[in-house]
């Protein structure tokens, strides 16, 4: 595996790797602090492509909260060791100046998918994601790009960005959430939970799972929403920010059970912000 820090070297290395012809390149964009969730994307890319590039870049333009940017875990050495072991070809670990030689002032037309939930709570966040992801797409010219469904809305936003930019490639591949044995969705932010918070955090997934059973037993969208919010806000260590049950493609809230309706939650535990989501069974 080559660790590449400059755009010039990335292009050169990819040109060489592609010179054999018909070489498929997979891209896994990450912000590092890699865990088994990321590694499931990496493994999938390695299985489906000839060459896998993993970017490790904490993108400042997508942080609307300076403390979150400052405290975001950075574990480059351990990340590169994991990527090497997984058989990755290129770890792209650029500086901010390499990714943004000039400030990126582009404003993307991300439409309604970016206006709700994370878009409403974190102004500018998705525009920053679109900036960095479009840049990584352009630099890698990848055939496929892999994203985790924990960031459910992010995938919809990236699809929209690719559509408005008229990109033919990469194909955007959504991969299932990976969970700890106790159900907590894997996230780089989990390491910032105290032991006590970490012990209680699985309540989020347990509550979502129970809400699916309630829906199967005939509860309405409004009843399910109230149950999830009441349960989580009733826990002394948790502050839910929102719980929305949304259409899987438009991400707009639904008030009756639509095919693929997905519940998306954000919960604060102390100063750590956790997100998770779950699909509800279709109702006729
Ligand atoms: O999901 C993430 O880790 C980031 O938002 C991404 C897609 C790597 C862009 O910085």
């Amino acid at each position: 595996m080559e660790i590449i820090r400059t755009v010039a070297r990335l292009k050169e290395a990819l040109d060489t790797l592609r010179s054999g012809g018909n070489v498929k390149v997979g891209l896994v964009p990450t912000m590092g602090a890699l865990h088994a969730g990321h590694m499931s994307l990496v493994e999938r890319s390695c299985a489906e492509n000839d060459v896998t590039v993993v970017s490790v870049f904490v993108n400042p333009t997508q942080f609307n909260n300076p403390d979150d940017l400052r405290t975001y875990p950075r574990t480059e050495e351990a990340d590169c060791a994991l990527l090497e072991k997984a058989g990755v070809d290129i770890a792209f670990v650029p500086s901010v100046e390499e990714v943004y030689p000039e400030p990126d002032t582009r404003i993307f037309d991300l439409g309604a998918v970016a206006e709700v939930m994370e878009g409403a709570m974190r102004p500018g966040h998705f525009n920053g994601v679109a900036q960095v992801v479009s840049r990584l797409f352009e630099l890698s010219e990848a055939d496929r790009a892999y994203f985790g469904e924990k960031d459910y809305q992010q995938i919809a936003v990236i699809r929209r960005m690719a559509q408005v930019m008229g990109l033919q490639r990469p194909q955007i591949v959504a991969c299932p959430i990976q969970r700890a044995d106790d159900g907590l969705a894997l996230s780089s932010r989990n390491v910032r939970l105290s032991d006590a918070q970490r012990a209680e955090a699985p309540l989020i997934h347990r509550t979502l799972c129970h809400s699916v059973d309630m829906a199967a037993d005939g509860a309405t969208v409004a009843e399910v929403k109230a149950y999830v919010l009441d349960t989580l806000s009733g826990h002394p260590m948790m502050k839910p920010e929102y719980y929305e049950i949304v259409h899987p493609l438009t991400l707009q809230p639904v008030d009756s059970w639509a095919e693929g309706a997905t519940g998306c939650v954000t919960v604060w535990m102390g100063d750590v912000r956790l997100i998770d989501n779950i699909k509800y069974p279709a109702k006729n």
Side-chain angles (χ1 to χ4, degrees):
M1 182 181 84
E2 182 176 351
I3 300 175
I4 294 184
R5 296 186 189 277
T6 67
V7 165
R9 176 64 201 143
L10 177 67
K11 293 203 159 180
E12 200 177 77
L14 283 172
D15 280 351
T16 309
L17 287 163
R18 282 196 176 101
S19 60
N22 199 21
V23 171
K24 296 285 179 211
V25 174
L27 170 72
V28 184
T30 82
M31 297 205 298
L34 302 180
H35 50 65
H38 298 109
M39 297 317 287
S40 72
L41 312 183
V42 170
E43 278 156 28
R44 182 139 171 213
S45 175
C46 289
E48 293 180 355
N49 301 281
D50 305 299
V51 169
T52 289
V53 180
V54 179
S55 59
V56 176
F57 177 64
V58 181
N59 170 37
T61 73
Q62 72 186 75
F63 284 82
N64 57 316
N65 174 344
D67 278 345
D68 195 20
L69 173 60
R70 192 177 45 77
T71 58
Y72 200 84
R74 288 162 170 88
T75 57
E76 186 189 309
E77 224 173 282
D79 291 345
C80 287
L82 280 173
L83 295 177
E84 168 116 59
K85 210 163 143 219
V88 166
D89 301 274
I90 295 174
F92 180 49
V93 192
S95 64
V96 173
E97 292 71 28
E98 279 294 318
V99 176
Y100 301 117
E102 281 164 32
D104 192 338
T105 53
R106 290 174 299 164
I107 305 284
F108 289 80
D109 165 21
L110 299 173
V113 288
E115 277 162 19
V116 290
M117 300 192 289
E118 294 300 279
M121 293 300 163
R122 304 179 66 189
H125 166 65
F126 283 132
N127 197 64
V129 170
Q131 288 174 339
V132 75
V133 171
S134 62
R135 182 93 173 110
L136 293 168
F137 284 1
E138 172 200 320
L139 297 177
S140 65
E141 296 179 62
D143 299 281
R144 300 189 185 91
Y146 296 80
F147 297 91
E149 283 186 330
K150 182 175 72 67
D151 296 293
Y152 191 79
Q153 191 178 7
Q154 172 170 274
I155 297 179
V157 169
I158 291 169
R159 287 193 200 284
R160 163 82 184 185
M161 178 271 286
Q163 183 208 334
V164 294
M165 291 181 75
L167 303 183
Q168 306 298 314
R169 296 182 302 191
Q171 178 196 338
I172 290 155
V173 184
C175 304
I177 300 180
Q178 302 294 308
R179 298 185 180 280
D181 289 345
D182 58 14
L184 179 64
L186 296 186
S187 162
S188 303
R189 292 188 173 88
N190 292 353
V191 297
R192 296 188 45 230
L193 295 170
S194 68
D195 290 349
Q197 289 168 335
R198 175 63 190 81
E200 297 301 311
L203 177 68
I204 301 170
H205 180 57
R206 273 205 312 277
T207 304
L208 296 187
C209 288
H210 184 68
S211 79
V212 168
D213 295 342
M214 285 173 65
D217 287 346
T220 63
V221 167
E223 285 163 349
V224 163
K225 265 182 79 166
Y227 163 76
V228 169
L229 285 170
D230 289 351
T231 306
L232 298 177
S233 57
H235 190 287
M237 290 184 189
M238 294 192 183
K239 266 207 191 93
E241 195 173 73
Y242 62 78
Y243 186 58
E244 294 290 356
I245 299 177
V246 299
H247 185 278
L249 298 178
T250 67
L251 282 276
Q252 301 310 298
V254 292
D255 48 24
S256 60
W257 295 113
E259 176 84 37
T262 301
C264 299
V265 74
T266 296
V267 180
W268 287 93
M269 293 192 80
D271 63 353
V272 184
R273 192 170 182 274
L274 300 175
I275 67 174
D276 202 348
N277 62 76
I278 202 155
K279 275 229 178 305
Y280 288 92
K283 284 270 174 78
N284 297 315

